[in-house]
Amino acid sequence: QVQLVESGGGLVQTGGSLRLSCAASGRTFSSRAMAWFRQAPGKEREFVAAINWSGGNTYYVDSVKGRFTISRDNAKNTVYLQMNSLKPEDTAVYYCAANPGGYSSSYYDYWGQGTQVTVSS
């Protein structure tokens, strides 16, 4: 069983930065790939970024490449999403998700409750 709790969301102006954190419970965190997804009002949930179990491989949706950075600290059971140069279209609820395996795939079996990110123009 894995529980995920996101934090760090908020209201920021265009061009600003936020750092999201996702704290995980359970002893399997360090063996799992982790990811961030987001869902904007009226839109489907979309993949944002993923990181493999060791942090050695990361993946991003094209719209955030060069602006967002995913990282993890296995000693703290935490995954982060550093978001820079934020745009109004980044406004969404951001979710942390855990993969059953060590490498990113399309299936994630545990999800957090989400944290709201709002970027004002």
Side-chain angles (χ1 to χ4, degrees):
Q1 189 79 0
V2 176
Q3 291 185 322
L4 304 174
V5 179
E6 302 97 336
S7 62
L11 173 64
V12 64
Q13 291 185 333
T14 297
S17 297
L18 283 174
R19 188 196 197 200
L20 305 184
S21 299
C22 172
S25 66
R27 287 180 280 183
T28 63
F29 174 83
S30 61
S31 64
R32 292 174 173 265
M34 299 294 295
W36 288 94
F37 289 77
R38 66 186 179 187
Q39 187 166 19
K43 295 187 177 181
E44 293 188 353
R45 185 174 60 196
E46 70 165 346
F47 167 83
V48 176
I51 188 166
N52 76 331
W53 68 275
S54 68
N57 295 94
T58 56
Y59 311 89
Y60 300 91
V61 67
D62 285 347
S63 60
V64 308
K65 285 181 181 177
R67 301 188 298 122
F68 291 12
T69 302
I70 189 171
S71 62
R72 67 189 298 158
D73 185 337
N74 286 343
K76 295 182 178 180
N77 275 20
T78 303
V79 63
Y80 305 97
L81 185 67
Q82 177 67 45
M83 307 185 295
N84 298 328
S85 301
L86 282 161
K87 305 175 181 180
E89 51 263 44
D90 295 317
T91 294
V93 177
Y94 283 72
Y95 298 92
C96 173
N99 192 288
Y103 293 90
S104 179
S105 68
S106 60
Y107 176 68
Y108 290 83
D109 56 353
Y110 292 101
W111 294 81
Q113 294 296 315
T115 185
Q116 175 71 47
V117 171
T118 303
V119 184
S120 64
S121 57

